[in-house]
Amino acid sequence: MTSRFTELVVDCHDPQRLAGFWCEVLDFTVLDQSEGKVEIGSWEPTVEAIRAGQMPPTLMFIQVPEGKTVKNRLHLDVSPIDASTDDEVARLLSLGATTVDVGQGAARSWTVMADPEGNEFDVVRTLAPTTRVTPTAQPGFGAGPDRSRTSPA
């Protein structure tokens, strides 16, 4: 017997607003919504796909009356895929996130942020492709052949 991780549920005051924020952060779409509940994800879950193997979980925002009172015991880490970490932090701030101090200290490689309802998350290493420009030796300039690239066979 086994189970699958299918949803991560976030209690909140305004599911529509929080789902909208996270759709912008993660490039997700709204999969389902009803009174007091919004589910978002990167794919449309089906029973067959879930049974076949572990797939990315969806995020579900459920309206609750109480507010957040302490630091999250569970949080998301996000990695920018097409920008630097600093550029992604700036983008998330423009969407309504804030930077927060949860005692992480100065010697860290990530940025701790909070969504519009105060739920902490981390922006970690960038996964953006790096562009390396390899200087090419010019004939007559004495630099020798460029051995940093391979030519097609």
Side-chain angles (χ1 to χ4, degrees), residues 20-37:
F21 170 82
W22 283 104
C23 279
E24 288 292 322
V25 171
L26 301 170
D27 194 26
F28 279 14
T29 58
V30 173
L31 303 174
D32 187 33
Q33 56 187 330
S34 60
E35 183 73 28
K37 178 186 91 168

Side-chain angles (χ1 to χ4, degrees), residues 22-141:
W22 283 104
C23 279
E24 288 292 322
V25 171
L26 301 170
D27 194 26
F28 279 14
T29 58
V30 173
L31 303 174
D32 187 33
Q33 56 187 330
S34 60
E35 183 73 28
K37 178 186 91 168
V38 180
E39 183 177 14
I40 66 172
S42 61
W43 66 293
E44 187 69 39
T46 64
V47 171
E48 294 78 19
I50 293 168
R51 289 179 58 84
Q54 186 63 56
M55 301 297 286
T58 61
L59 288 174
M60 188 164 321
F61 301 93
I62 305 286
Q63 187 173 33
V64 297
E66 66 275 0
K68 181 180 174 305
T69 57
V70 297
K71 176 182 171 288
N72 294 4
R73 302 258 340 239
L74 174 72
H75 67 266
L76 301 179
D77 283 355
V78 300
S79 297
I81 60 168
D82 55 9
S84 71
T85 302
D86 289 341
D87 288 342
E88 183 65 357
V89 167
R91 183 180 81 90
L92 299 177
L93 289 168
S94 76
L95 294 174
T98 57
T99 55
V100 294
D101 182 353
V102 293
Q104 67 269 24
R108 57 176 163 54
S109 61
W110 65 92
T111 300
V112 180
M113 301 190 82
D115 69 19
E117 288 203 15
N119 300 298
E120 296 92 7
F121 66 97
D122 295 334
V123 180
V124 296
R125 74 203 170 283
T126 182
L127 301 176
T130 57
T131 307
R132 290 188 187 193
V133 178
T134 304
T136 306
Q138 299 294 320
F141 288 96

